[in-house]
Coordinates of all heavy atoms in Angstrom, one line a residue:
M6 N 39.4 -47.1 -50.4 CA 39.1 -45.8 -50.7 C 40.2 -44.9 -50.0 O 40.4 -45.0 -48.8 CB 37.7 -45.4 -50.1 CG 37.3 -44.0 -50.4 SD 35.6 -43.6 -49.7 CE 34.7 -44.9 -50.4
F7 N 40.9 -44.1 -50.8 CA 41.9 -43.2 -50.2 C 41.2 -41.9 -50.1 O 40.7 -41.3 -51.1 CB 43.1 -43.2 -51.1 CG 43.8 -44.5 -51.3 CD1 43.7 -45.2 -52.5 CD2 44.6 -45.0 -50.3 CE1 44.4 -46.4 -52.6 CE2 45.2 -46.2 -50.4 CZ 45.1 -46.9 -51.6
I8 N 41.3 -41.2 -48.9 CA 40.7 -39.9 -48.7 C 41.7 -39.0 -48.2 O 42.5 -39.3 -47.3 CB 39.6 -40.1 -47.7 CG1 38.5 -41.0 -48.2 CG2 39.0 -38.7 -47.4 CD1 37.4 -41.3 -47.2
E9 N 41.8 -37.8 -48.8 CA 42.6 -36.7 -48.4 C 41.8 -35.5 -47.9 O 40.9 -35.1 -48.7 CB 43.5 -36.3 -49.6 CG 44.6 -35.3 -49.2 CD 45.6 -35.9 -48.2 OE1 46.0 -37.1 -48.3 OE2 46.1 -35.1 -47.4
L10 N 42.0 -35.1 -46.7 CA 41.2 -33.9 -46.2 C 42.1 -32.7 -46.2 O 43.2 -32.7 -45.7 CB 40.8 -34.2 -44.7 CG 40.0 -35.5 -44.5 CD1 39.8 -35.8 -43.0 CD2 38.7 -35.4 -45.2
K11 N 41.5 -31.6 -46.8 CA 42.2 -30.3 -46.9 C 41.3 -29.2 -46.5 O 40.1 -29.3 -46.7 CB 42.8 -30.1 -48.3 CG 43.9 -31.1 -48.7 CD 45.1 -30.9 -47.8 CE 46.1 -31.9 -48.2 NZ 47.2 -31.9 -47.2
K12 N 41.8 -28.1 -46.1 CA 41.0 -26.9 -45.9 C 40.4 -26.3 -47.2 O 39.3 -26.0 -47.3 CB 41.8 -25.8 -45.1 CG 42.0 -26.1 -43.7 CD 40.8 -25.6 -42.9 CE 41.1 -25.7 -41.4 NZ 39.9 -25.7 -40.6
T13 N 41.3 -26.2 -48.2 CA 40.9 -25.7 -49.5 C 41.2 -26.7 -50.6 O 42.1 -27.5 -50.5 CB 41.7 -24.4 -49.8 OG1 43.1 -24.7 -49.9 CG2 41.4 -23.3 -48.8
L14 N 40.4 -26.6 -51.7 CA 40.5 -27.5 -52.8 C 41.2 -26.8 -54.0 O 41.2 -27.3 -55.1 CB 39.2 -28.0 -53.3 CG 38.4 -28.9 -52.3 CD1 37.0 -29.2 -52.9 CD2 39.1 -30.1 -52.0
G15 N 41.8 -25.6 -53.8 CA 42.4 -24.8 -54.8 C 43.3 -25.6 -55.7 O 43.4 -26.8 -55.7
G16 N 44.1 -24.9 -56.6 CA 44.9 -25.5 -57.6 C 46.1 -26.2 -57.1 O 47.0 -26.6 -57.8
N17 N 46.2 -26.5 -55.8 CA 47.4 -27.1 -55.2 C 47.5 -28.6 -55.7 O 46.6 -29.3 -55.6 CB 47.3 -27.1 -53.7 CG 48.6 -27.5 -53.0 OD1 49.5 -27.9 -53.6 ND2 48.6 -27.3 -51.7
R18 N 48.7 -29.0 -56.2 CA 48.9 -30.3 -56.7 C 49.2 -31.3 -55.5 O 49.1 -32.5 -55.7 CB 50.1 -30.3 -57.6 CG 49.8 -29.7 -59.0 CD 51.0 -29.9 -59.8 NE 51.6 -31.2 -59.7 CZ 52.5 -31.6 -60.6 NH1 53.0 -30.9 -61.5 NH2 53.0 -32.9 -60.4
H19 N 49.6 -30.8 -54.4 CA 50.1 -31.6 -53.3 C 49.1 -32.7 -52.8 O 49.5 -33.8 -52.7 CB 50.5 -30.7 -52.1 CG 51.2 -31.5 -51.0 ND1 52.4 -32.1 -51.1 CD2 50.8 -31.7 -49.7 CE1 52.7 -32.7 -50.0 NE2 51.7 -32.5 -49.1
P20 N 47.8 -32.3 -52.6 CA 46.9 -33.4 -52.2 C 46.7 -34.4 -53.2 O 46.5 -35.6 -52.9 CB 45.6 -32.6 -51.9 CG 45.8 -31.2 -52.2 CD 47.2 -31.0 -52.5
K21 N 46.7 -34.1 -54.5 CA 46.5 -35.0 -55.6 C 47.7 -36.0 -55.6 O 47.5 -37.2 -55.8 CB 46.4 -34.3 -56.9 CG 45.1 -33.4 -57.0 CD 45.2 -32.6 -58.3 CE 44.2 -31.5 -58.2 NZ 44.3 -30.5 -59.3
E22 N 48.9 -35.5 -55.4 CA 50.1 -36.3 -55.4 C 50.1 -37.3 -54.2 O 50.5 -38.4 -54.3 CB 51.4 -35.5 -55.3 CG 51.8 -34.9 -56.6 CD 52.2 -36.0 -57.6 OE1 52.9 -37.0 -57.2 OE2 51.8 -35.9 -58.8
Q23 N 49.6 -36.8 -53.0 CA 49.5 -37.6 -51.9 C 48.5 -38.8 -52.2 O 48.8 -39.9 -51.8 CB 49.0 -36.8 -50.7 CG 50.0 -35.9 -50.1 CD 49.5 -35.1 -48.9 OE1 48.4 -34.4 -49.0 NE2 50.1 -35.2 -47.8
L24 N 47.4 -38.5 -52.8 CA 46.5 -39.6 -53.2 C 47.1 -40.6 -54.2 O 47.0 -41.8 -54.0 CB 45.2 -39.0 -53.8 CG 44.2 -38.3 -52.8 CD1 43.1 -37.6 -53.6 CD2 43.6 -39.4 -51.9
R25 N 47.8 -40.1 -55.2 CA 48.4 -40.9 -56.2 C 49.5 -41.8 -55.6 O 49.6 -43.0 -55.9 CB 49.0 -40.1 -57.3 CG 49.5 -40.8 -58.5 CD 49.9 -39.9 -59.6 NE 51.2 -39.3 -59.3 CZ 52.4 -39.8 -59.5 NH1 52.5 -41.0 -60.1 NH2 53.5 -39.2 -59.3
R26 N 50.2 -41.3 -54.6 CA 51.3 -42.1 -54.0 C 50.8 -43.0 -52.9 O 51.6 -43.7 -52.3 CB 52.3 -41.1 -53.4 CG 53.0 -40.4 -54.6 CD 53.9 -39.3 -54.1 NE 54.3 -38.4 -55.2 CZ 55.6 -38.4 -55.6 NH1 56.5 -39.0 -55.0 NH2 55.9 -37.6 -56.6
S27 N 49.5 -43.1 -52.6 CA 49.0 -44.0 -51.6 C 48.9 -45.4 -52.2 O 48.9 -46.4 -51.4 CB 47.6 -43.6 -51.2 OG 47.6 -42.3 -50.6
R28 N 48.8 -45.6 -53.5 CA 48.6 -46.9 -54.1 C 49.8 -47.9 -53.8 O 49.5 -49.0 -53.4 CB 48.5 -46.8 -55.6 CG 48.0 -48.0 -56.2 CD 47.7 -47.8 -57.7 NE 47.2 -49.0 -58.2 CZ 46.5 -49.1 -59.3 NH1 46.3 -48.0 -60.0 NH2 46.0 -50.3 -59.8
P29 N 51.0 -47.4 -53.8 CA 52.1 -48.4 -53.5 C 52.1 -48.8 -52.0 O 52.4 -49.9 -51.7 CB 53.4 -47.6 -53.7 CG 53.0 -46.5 -54.7 CD 51.6 -46.2 -54.4
L30 N 51.6 -48.0 -51.1 CA 51.4 -48.3 -49.7 C 50.4 -49.5 -49.6 O 50.6 -50.5 -48.9 CB 51.0 -47.1 -48.9 CG 50.7 -47.4 -47.4 CD1 52.0 -47.9 -46.8 CD2 50.3 -46.1 -46.7
L31 N 49.3 -49.4 -50.4 CA 48.3 -50.5 -50.3 C 49.0 -51.8 -50.9 O 48.7 -52.9 -50.3 CB 47.1 -50.1 -51.2 CG 46.1 -51.3 -51.3 CD1 45.5 -51.6 -50.0 CD2 45.0 -50.8 -52.3
G32 N 49.8 -51.7 -51.9 CA 50.4 -52.8 -52.5 C 51.4 -53.5 -51.5 O 51.4 -54.7 -51.4
Y33 N 52.1 -52.7 -50.7 CA 52.9 -53.2 -49.7 C 52.1 -53.9 -48.6 O 52.5 -55.1 -48.2 CB 53.7 -52.1 -49.0 CG 54.5 -52.5 -47.8 CD1 55.6 -53.3 -47.8 CD2 54.0 -52.1 -46.5 CE1 56.3 -53.6 -46.7 CE2 54.6 -52.5 -45.4 CZ 55.8 -53.3 -45.4 OH 56.4 -53.7 -44.3
L34 N 51.1 -53.3 -48.1 CA 50.2 -54.0 -47.1 C 49.6 -55.3 -47.6 O 49.5 -56.2 -46.8 CB 49.1 -53.0 -46.6 CG 49.6 -51.8 -45.9 CD1 48.5 -50.8 -45.6 CD2 50.3 -52.1 -44.6
L35 N 49.2 -55.3 -48.8 CA 48.6 -56.5 -49.4 C 49.7 -57.6 -49.4 O 49.4 -58.8 -49.1 CB 48.1 -56.3 -50.8 CG 46.7 -55.7 -50.9 CD1 46.4 -55.3 -52.3 CD2 45.7 -56.7 -50.4
A36 N 50.9 -57.3 -49.8 CA 52.0 -58.2 -49.9 C 52.3 -58.8 -48.5 O 52.5 -60.0 -48.4 CB 53.3 -57.6 -50.5
V37 N 52.3 -58.0 -47.5 CA 52.5 -58.5 -46.1 C 51.4 -59.4 -45.7 O 51.7 -60.5 -45.1 CB 52.7 -57.3 -45.1 CG1 52.6 -57.7 -43.7 CG2 53.9 -56.5 -45.4
C38 N 50.2 -59.0 -46.0 CA 49.0 -59.9 -45.6 C 49.1 -61.2 -46.3 O 48.8 -62.3 -45.8 CB 47.7 -59.2 -45.9 SG 47.4 -57.8 -44.8
R39 N 49.5 -61.2 -47.6 CA 49.6 -62.4 -48.4 C 50.7 -63.4 -47.8 O 50.5 -64.6 -47.7 CB 49.8 -62.1 -49.8 CG 48.6 -61.5 -50.5 CD 49.0 -61.1 -52.0 NE 47.8 -60.5 -52.6 CZ 47.8 -59.5 -53.5 NH1 48.9 -59.0 -53.8 NH2 46.7 -59.1 -54.0
I40 N 51.8 -62.8 -47.4 CA 52.9 -63.6 -46.8 C 52.4 -64.1 -45.5 O 52.6 -65.3 -45.2 CB 54.1 -62.7 -46.7 CG1 54.7 -62.4 -48.1 CG2 55.2 -63.4 -45.8 CD1 55.8 -61.4 -48.1
E41 N 51.9 -63.3 -44.6 CA 51.5 -63.8 -43.3 C 50.4 -64.8 -43.3 O 50.4 -65.7 -42.5 CB 51.1 -62.6 -42.4 CG 52.3 -61.7 -42.0 CD 53.3 -62.4 -41.2 OE1 52.9 -63.1 -40.3 OE2 54.5 -62.2 -41.5
S42 N 49.4 -64.6 -44.2 CA 48.2 -65.5 -44.2 C 48.4 -66.7 -45.1 O 47.7 -67.7 -45.0 CB 47.0 -64.7 -44.6 OG 47.1 -64.4 -46.0
R43 N 49.4 -66.6 -45.9 CA 49.7 -67.7 -46.9 C 48.5 -68.0 -47.8 O 48.2 -69.1 -48.1 CB 50.2 -69.0 -46.2 CG 51.5 -68.8 -45.5 CD 52.0 -70.1 -44.9 NE 53.2 -69.8 -44.2 CZ 53.3 -69.8 -42.9 NH1 52.3 -70.0 -42.1 NH2 54.5 -69.6 -42.3
E44 N 47.7 -67.0 -48.0 CA 46.5 -67.1 -48.9 C 46.5 -66.1 -50.0 O 47.2 -65.1 -49.9 CB 45.2 -66.9 -48.0 CG 45.0 -68.0 -47.0 CD 43.7 -67.7 -46.2 OE1 42.9 -67.0 -46.7 OE2 43.6 -68.3 -45.1
T45 N 45.8 -66.4 -51.0 CA 45.6 -65.4 -52.1 C 44.6 -64.4 -51.7 O 43.5 -64.7 -51.4 CB 45.2 -66.2 -53.4 OG1 46.1 -67.2 -53.7 CG2 45.1 -65.2 -54.5
I46 N 45.0 -63.2 -51.6 CA 44.1 -62.1 -51.3 C 44.0 -61.2 -52.6 O 45.0 -60.7 -53.1 CB 44.7 -61.2 -50.2 CG1 44.9 -62.1 -48.9 CG2 43.8 -60.0 -49.9 CD1 45.7 -61.4 -47.8
P47 N 42.8 -61.1 -53.1 CA 42.6 -60.3 -54.3 C 42.9 -58.8 -54.1 O 42.6 -58.3 -53.0 CB 41.1 -60.5 -54.7 CG 40.5 -60.9 -53.4 CD 41.5 -61.6 -52.6
T48 N 43.3 -58.2 -55.1 CA 43.5 -56.7 -55.0 C 42.2 -56.0 -55.0 O 41.4 -56.2 -55.9 CB 44.4 -56.2 -56.2 OG1 45.6 -57.0 -56.2 CG2 44.7 -54.7 -56.1
P49 N 41.9 -55.2 -54.0 CA 40.6 -54.5 -53.9 C 40.5 -53.4 -55.0 O 41.5 -52.9 -55.5 CB 40.6 -53.9 -52.5 CG 42.0 -53.8 -52.2 CD 42.8 -54.8 -52.9
S50 N 39.3 -53.0 -55.3 CA 39.1 -51.8 -56.1 C 39.5 -50.6 -55.3 O 39.3 -50.6 -54.1 CB 37.6 -51.8 -56.6 OG 36.8 -51.6 -55.5
M51 N 39.9 -49.6 -56.0 CA 40.4 -48.4 -55.3 C 39.7 -47.2 -55.9 O 39.4 -47.1 -57.1 CB 41.9 -48.2 -55.6 CG 42.7 -49.3 -54.9 SD 44.5 -49.1 -55.3 CE 44.5 -50.2 -56.7
S52 N 39.4 -46.2 -55.0 CA 38.9 -44.9 -55.4 C 39.6 -43.9 -54.6 O 40.1 -44.1 -53.5 CB 37.4 -44.9 -55.2 OG 37.0 -45.0 -53.8
Y53 N 39.6 -42.7 -55.2 CA 40.3 -41.6 -54.6 C 39.4 -40.4 -54.3 O 38.6 -40.0 -55.2 CB 41.5 -41.1 -55.5 CG 42.4 -42.3 -55.8 CD1 42.2 -43.1 -56.9 CD2 43.6 -42.5 -55.1 CE1 43.0 -44.2 -57.2 CE2 44.4 -43.5 -55.4 CZ 44.2 -44.3 -56.4 OH 45.0 -45.4 -56.7
V54 N 39.4 -39.8 -53.1 CA 38.5 -38.7 -52.8 C 39.3 -37.6 -52.1 O 40.2 -37.8 -51.3 CB 37.5 -39.3 -51.8 CG1 36.5 -38.2 -51.3 CG2 36.7 -40.4 -52.4
L55 N 39.0 -36.4 -52.5 CA 39.6 -35.2 -51.9 C 38.4 -34.4 -51.3 O 37.4 -34.1 -52.0 CB 40.3 -34.4 -53.0 CG 41.0 -33.1 -52.6 CD1 42.1 -33.4 -51.5 CD2 41.7 -32.5 -53.8
I56 N 38.5 -34.1 -50.0 CA 37.4 -33.3 -49.4 C 38.0 -32.0 -48.8 O 39.0 -32.0 -48.1 CB 36.8 -34.1 -48.2 CG1 36.3 -35.5 -48.7 CG2 35.8 -33.4 -47.5 CD1 35.8 -36.4 -47.6
G57 N 37.3 -30.9 -49.1 CA 37.8 -29.6 -48.6 C 36.6 -28.8 -48.1 O 35.5 -29.0 -48.5
E58 N 36.9 -27.8 -47.2 CA 35.8 -27.0 -46.7 C 35.5 -25.8 -47.6 O 34.4 -25.3 -47.5 CB 36.3 -26.4 -45.3 CG 36.3 -27.5 -44.2 CD 36.7 -26.9 -42.9 OE1 36.9 -25.7 -42.7 OE2 36.7 -27.7 -41.9
R59 N 36.4 -25.4 -48.4 CA 36.2 -24.3 -49.4 C 37.0 -24.5 -50.6 O 38.0 -25.3 -50.6 CB 36.4 -23.0 -48.8 CG 37.8 -22.8 -48.1 CD 37.8 -21.6 -47.3 NE 39.0 -21.8 -46.4 CZ 39.7 -20.8 -45.9 NH1 39.4 -19.5 -46.2 NH2 40.8 -21.0 -45.2
I60 N 36.7 -23.8 -51.7 CA 37.4 -24.0 -52.9 C 38.7 -23.2 -53.0 O 39.8 -23.7 -53.4 CB 36.5 -23.6 -54.1 CG1 35.3 -24.6 -54.1 CG2 37.2 -23.6 -55.4 CD1 34.3 -24.3 -55.2
N61 N 38.7 -21.9 -52.6 CA 39.8 -21.0 -52.8 C 40.3 -20.5 -51.4 O 39.5 -20.2 -50.6 CB 39.4 -19.9 -53.7 CG 40.6 -19.1 -54.1 OD1 41.6 -19.0 -53.4 ND2 40.5 -18.5 -55.3
E62 N 41.6 -20.4 -51.2 CA 42.2 -20.0 -50.0 C 42.0 -18.5 -49.8 O 41.7 -18.0 -48.7 CB 43.6 -20.4 -50.0 CG 44.4 -20.1 -48.7 CD 45.8 -20.6 -48.8 OE1 46.0 -21.8 -48.5 OE2 46.7 -19.8 -49.2
R63 N 42.1 -17.7 -50.8 CA 42.2 -16.2 -50.7 C 40.8 -15.6 -50.6 O 40.5 -14.8 -49.8 CB 42.9 -15.6 -51.8 CG 44.4 -16.0 -51.8 CD 45.1 -15.4 -53.0 NE 46.5 -15.8 -53.0 CZ 47.5 -14.9 -52.8 NH1 47.2 -13.6 -52.7 NH2 48.7 -15.3 -52.8
L64 N 39.9 -16.0 -51.5 CA 38.6 -15.4 -51.6 C 37.5 -16.4 -51.6 O 37.5 -17.2 -52.6 CB 38.5 -14.5 -52.8 CG 37.3 -13.7 -53.0 CD1 37.1 -12.7 -51.9 CD2 37.3 -12.9 -54.3
D65 N 36.7 -16.5 -50.7 CA 35.6 -17.5 -50.6 C 34.4 -16.9 -51.3 O 33.7 -16.1 -50.7 CB 35.4 -17.8 -49.1 CG 34.6 -19.1 -48.9 OD1 34.2 -19.7 -50.0 OD2 34.3 -19.5 -47.8
K66 N 34.1 -17.4 -52.5 CA 33.0 -17.0 -53.2 C 31.8 -17.9 -53.2 O 30.9 -17.8 -54.0 CB 33.4 -16.8 -54.7 CG 34.3 -15.7 -55.0 CD 34.6 -15.6 -56.4 CE 35.5 -14.4 -56.7 NZ 35.8 -14.3 -58.2
Q67 N 31.8 -18.8 -52.3 CA 30.8 -19.8 -52.2 C 29.5 -19.2 -51.5 O 29.6 -18.2 -50.8 CB 31.2 -21.0 -51.3 CG 32.4 -21.7 -51.9 CD 33.1 -22.6 -50.8 OE1 34.1 -23.1 -51.2 NE2 32.7 -22.7 -49.6
P68 N 28.3 -19.8 -51.9 CA 27.1 -19.3 -51.2 C 27.2 -19.4 -49.7 O 27.9 -20.2 -49.2 CB 26.0 -20.2 -51.8 CG 26.6 -20.8 -53.0 CD 28.1 -20.8 -52.8
V69 N 26.5 -18.6 -49.0 CA 26.5 -18.6 -47.5 C 26.1 -19.9 -47.0 O 26.8 -20.5 -46.1 CB 25.6 -17.5 -47.0 CG1 25.6 -17.5 -45.5 CG2 26.1 -16.1 -47.4
K70 N 25.1 -20.5 -47.6 CA 24.6 -21.8 -47.1 C 24.8 -22.9 -48.2 O 23.8 -23.4 -48.7 CB 23.1 -21.8 -46.6 CG 22.9 -20.9 -45.4 CD 21.5 -20.9 -45.0 CE 21.3 -20.1 -43.8 NZ 19.9 -20.1 -43.3
S71 N 26.0 -23.2 -48.5 CA 26.2 -24.2 -49.5 C 26.0 -25.6 -49.0 O 26.3 -25.9 -47.9 CB 27.7 -24.1 -50.1 OG 28.6 -24.4 -49.0
R72 N 25.4 -26.4 -49.9 CA 25.2 -27.8 -49.5 C 26.4 -28.6 -49.7 O 27.0 -28.5 -50.8 CB 24.0 -28.4 -50.3 CG 22.7 -27.8 -50.0 CD 21.6 -28.4 -50.7 NE 21.6 -29.9 -50.4 CZ 21.0 -30.8 -51.1 NH1 20.4 -30.5 -52.2 NH2 21.0 -32.0 -50.7
P73 N 26.8 -29.4 -48.7 CA 27.9 -30.3 -48.9 C 27.6 -31.3 -50.0 O 26.5 -31.7 -50.2 CB 28.1 -31.0 -47.6 CG 27.1 -30.4 -46.6 CD 26.2 -29.6 -47.4
G74 N 28.7 -31.7 -50.7 CA 28.5 -32.8 -51.7 C 29.6 -32.7 -52.8 O 30.5 -31.9 -52.7
K75 N 29.4 -33.6 -53.7 CA 30.4 -33.7 -54.8 C 30.3 -32.5 -55.7 O 29.2 -32.1 -56.1 CB 30.1 -35.0 -55.6 CG 31.1 -35.3 -56.6 CD 30.8 -36.6 -57.3 CE 31.7 -36.9 -58.5 NZ 31.4 -38.2 -59.1
I76 N 31.5 -31.9 -56.0 CA 31.5 -30.8 -56.9 C 32.1 -31.1 -58.3 O 31.7 -30.5 -59.2 CB 32.2 -29.6 -56.3 CG1 33.7 -30.0 -55.9 CG2 31.5 -29.1 -55.1 CD1 34.5 -28.8 -55.5
E77 N 33.0 -32.1 -58.3 CA 33.5 -32.5 -59.6 C 34.4 -33.8 -59.5 O 34.6 -34.2 -58.4 CB 34.4 -31.4 -60.2 CG 35.7 -31.1 -59.5 CD 36.6 -30.1 -60.1 OE1 36.6 -30.0 -61.4 OE2 37.3 -29.4 -59.4
E78 N 34.7 -34.3 -60.6 CA 35.6 -35.4 -60.7 C 36.7 -35.1 -61.6 O 36.5 -34.5 -62.7 CB 34.9 -36.7 -61.2 CG 35.7 -38.0 -60.9 CD 34.8 -39.2 -61.0 OE1 33.6 -39.1 -60.7 OE2 35.4 -40.3 -61.4
E79 N 38.0 -35.3 -61.3 CA 39.1 -34.9 -62.0 C 40.0 -36.1 -62.3 O 40.2 -36.9 -61.4 CB 39.9 -33.8 -61.3 CG 41.1 -33.4 -61.9 CD 41.8 -32.3 -61.1 OE1 41.2 -31.7 -60.2 OE2 43.0 -32.1 -61.3
R80 N 40.6 -36.2 -63.5 CA 41.6 -37.2 -63.8 C 43.0 -36.5 -63.6 O 43.2 -35.5 -64.1 CB 41.5 -37.6 -65.3 CG 42.4 -38.7 -65.6 CD 41.6 -39.9 -66.1 NE 42.4 -41.0 -66.5 CZ 42.6 -42.1 -65.9 NH1 41.9 -42.3 -64.8 NH2 43.4 -43.1 -66.3
Y81 N 43.8 -37.2 -62.8 CA 45.1 -36.7 -62.5 C 46.1 -37.8 -62.5 O 46.0 -38.8 -61.7 CB 45.1 -36.0 -61.1 CG 46.5 -35.5 -60.7 CD1 47.0 -34.3 -61.2 CD2 47.3 -36.2 -59.8 CE1 48.2 -33.8 -60.8 CE2 48.5 -35.8 -59.4 CZ 49.0 -34.6 -59.9 OH 50.2 -34.1 -59.6
E82 N 47.1 -37.7 -63.4 CA 48.2 -38.7 -63.4 C 47.7 -40.2 -63.4 O 48.3 -41.0 -62.7 CB 49.2 -38.5 -62.3 CG 49.9 -37.1 -62.3 CD 50.9 -37.0 -63.4 OE1 51.6 -38.0 -63.7 OE2 51.1 -35.9 -63.9
G83 N 46.7 -40.5 -64.1 CA 46.2 -41.8 -64.3 C 45.2 -42.3 -63.2 O 44.8 -43.4 -63.2
I84 N 44.8 -41.4 -62.3 CA 43.7 -41.8 -61.3 C 42.6 -40.8 -61.4 O 42.7 -39.6 -61.8 CB 44.3 -41.8 -59.9 CG1 44.8 -40.4 -59.4 CG2 45.4 -42.8 -59.7 CD1 45.2 -40.3 -58.0
N85 N 41.4 -41.2 -61.1 CA 40.2 -40.4 -61.0 C 40.0 -40.0 -59.6 O 39.9 -40.8 -58.7 CB 38.9 -41.1 -61.5 CG 39.0 -41.3 -63.0 OD1 39.5 -40.5 -63.7 ND2 38.4 -42.4 -63.4
I86 N 39.9 -38.7 -59.4 CA 39.7 -38.1 -58.0 C 38.4 -37.4 -57.9 O 38.1 -36.5 -58.7 CB 40.8 -37.1 -57.7 CG1 42.2 -37.8 -57.8 CG2 40.6 -36.5 -56.3 CD1 43.4 -36.8 -57.6
K87 N 37.6 -37.9 -57.0 CA 36.3 -37.2 -56.7 C 36.5 -36.1 -55.7 O 37.1 -36.3 -54.7 CB 35.3 -38.2 -56.2 CG 35.0 -39.4 -57.1 CD 34.1 -40.4 -56.4 CE 34.0 -41.7 -57.1 NZ 33.3 -42.7 -56.4
K88 N 36.0 -34.9 -56.0 CA 36.2 -33.8 -55.1 C 34.8 -33.5 -54.4 O 33.8 -33.4 -55.1 CB 36.7 -32.6 -55.8 CG 38.1 -32.7 -56.4 CD 38.5 -31.4 -57.0 CE 39.9 -31.5 -57.5 NZ 40.3 -30.2 -58.1
F89 N 34.9 -33.3 -53.1 CA 33.7 -33.0 -52.3 C 34.0 -31.7 -51.6 O 35.1 -31.4 -51.1 CB 33.4 -34.1 -51.3 CG 32.8 -35.3 -52.0 CD1 33.7 -36.3 -52.5 CD2 31.5 -35.5 -52.0 CE1 33.2 -37.4 -53.1 CE2 30.9 -36.6 -52.6 CZ 31.8 -37.6 -53.2
L90 N 32.9 -30.9 -51.4 CA 33.0 -29.6 -50.7 C 32.1 -29.7 -49.5 O 31.0 -30.1 -49.6 CB 32.6 -28.5 -51.6 CG 32.7 -27.1 -51.0 CD1 34.1 -26.7 -50.8 CD2 32.1 -26.1 -52.0
G91 N 32.6 -29.3 -48.3 CA 31.8 -29.2 -47.1 C 32.5 -29.9 -45.9 O 33.3 -30.7 -46.1
P92 N 32.0 -29.5 -44.7 CA 32.6 -30.1 -43.5 C 32.1 -31.5 -43.2 O 32.7 -32.2 -42.5 CB 32.2 -29.1 -42.4 CG 30.9 -28.5 -42.9 CD 31.1 -28.4 -44.4
I93 N 31.0 -31.9 -43.9 CA 30.4 -33.2 -43.6 C 30.0 -33.8 -45.0 O 29.4 -33.2 -45.8 CB 29.1 -33.1 -42.7 CG1 29.4 -32.5 -41.4 CG2 28.5 -34.4 -42.6 CD1 28.2 -32.1 -40.6
V94 N 30.5 -35.0 -45.1 CA 30.2 -35.8 -46.4 C 29.6 -37.2 -46.0 O 30.3 -37.8 -45.2 CB 31.4 -35.9 -47.3 CG1 31.1 -36.7 -48.5 CG2 31.9 -34.6 -47.7
A95 N 28.5 -37.6 -46.5 CA 27.9 -38.9 -46.2 C 28.8 -40.0 -46.8 O 29.2 -39.8 -48.0 CB 26.5 -39.0 -46.7
F96 N 29.0 -41.1 -46.1 CA 29.8 -42.2 -46.7 C 29.1 -42.7 -47.9 O 29.8 -43.1 -48.9 CB 29.9 -43.3 -45.6 CG 30.7 -44.4 -46.1 CD1 32.1 -44.3 -46.2 CD2 30.2 -45.6 -46.6 CE1 32.9 -45.3 -46.6 CE2 30.9 -46.6 -47.0 CZ 32.3 -46.5 -47.1
A97 N 27.8 -42.8 -48.0 CA 27.1 -43.3 -49.2 C 27.5 -42.4 -50.4 O 27.6 -43.0 -51.5 CB 25.6 -43.2 -49.0
D98 N 27.7 -41.1 -50.3 CA 28.1 -40.3 -51.4 C 29.6 -40.6 -51.8 O 29.9 -40.5 -53.0 CB 28.1 -38.8 -51.0 CG 26.6 -38.3 -50.8 OD1 25.7 -39.0 -51.3 OD2 26.4 -37.3 -50.1
L99 N 30.4 -40.9 -50.9 CA 31.8 -41.3 -51.2 C 31.9 -42.6 -52.0 O 32.7 -42.8 -52.9 CB 32.6 -41.4 -49.9 CG 32.8 -40.2 -49.1 CD1 33.6 -40.5 -47.8 CD2 33.5 -39.1 -49.8
A100 N 31.0 -43.5 -51.7 CA 31.1 -44.8 -52.3 C 30.5 -44.9 -53.7 O 30.7 -45.9 -54.4 CB 30.3 -45.8 -51.4
L101 N 29.9 -43.9 -54.2 CA 29.3 -43.8 -55.5 C 30.4 -43.7 -56.6 O 31.4 -43.2 -56.5 CB 28.3 -42.7 -55.7 CG 27.1 -42.8 -54.8 CD1 26.2 -41.5 -55.0 CD2 26.2 -44.0 -55.2

């Protein structure tokens, strides 16, 4: 699970690009582990999560007491990114 933490979830492409570019890093780490252990290590399933405290940087139109949780799922450059809003997110919610 790749997680990117940001203050705002607005239209910025940067956090989505950071998530998308994490996959080659995992490939590199797997290759090193396979070489060092001399064993076949299966490629794990991957998921991408973006967590922010608010939606928009300029004007915060969220309810005063918004409940943390998943707000949407977005497809970006071949990956599915789950977006969560709030300062606290339960791990069980991330794993769904």
Side-chain angles (χ1 to χ4, degrees):
M6 182 180 308
F7 298 106
I8 299 174
E9 186 66 35
L10 302 173
K11 296 294 179 189
K12 285 276 187 196
T13 60
L14 296 176
N17 193 351
R18 287 182 44 169
H19 186 65
K21 297 173 198 171
E22 278 298 316
Q23 286 178 306
L24 285 170
R25 190 175 73 84
R26 293 170 190 246
S27 299
R28 190 173 188 164
L30 180 60
L31 175 64
Y33 169 76
L34 293 173
L35 278 172
V37 170
C38 290
R39 288 173 181 147
I40 290 169
E41 290 296 318
S42 69
R43 296 185 182 105
E44 293 182 18
T45 303
I46 300 172
T48 303
S50 63
M51 292 174 267
S52 62
Y53 303 88
V54 177
L55 183 57
I56 301 173
E58 291 182 359
R59 52 192 166 153
I60 294 174
N61 193 329
E62 185 175 275
R63 295 177 182 245
L64 184 60
D65 193 0
K66 293 183 178 180
Q67 296 161 186
V69 176
K70 293 184 179 181
S71 62
R72 290 186 59 200
K75 183 177 175 182
I76 56 170
E77 69 177 327
E78 192 163 332
E79 176 182 342
R80 185 121 176 109
Y81 177 79
E82 299 286 328
I84 62 172
N85 288 328
I86 301 173
K87 299 174 192 172
K88 292 183 178 181
F89 287 83
L90 183 64
I93 299 170
V94 178
F96 183 76
D98 293 337
L99 297 175
L101 295 175

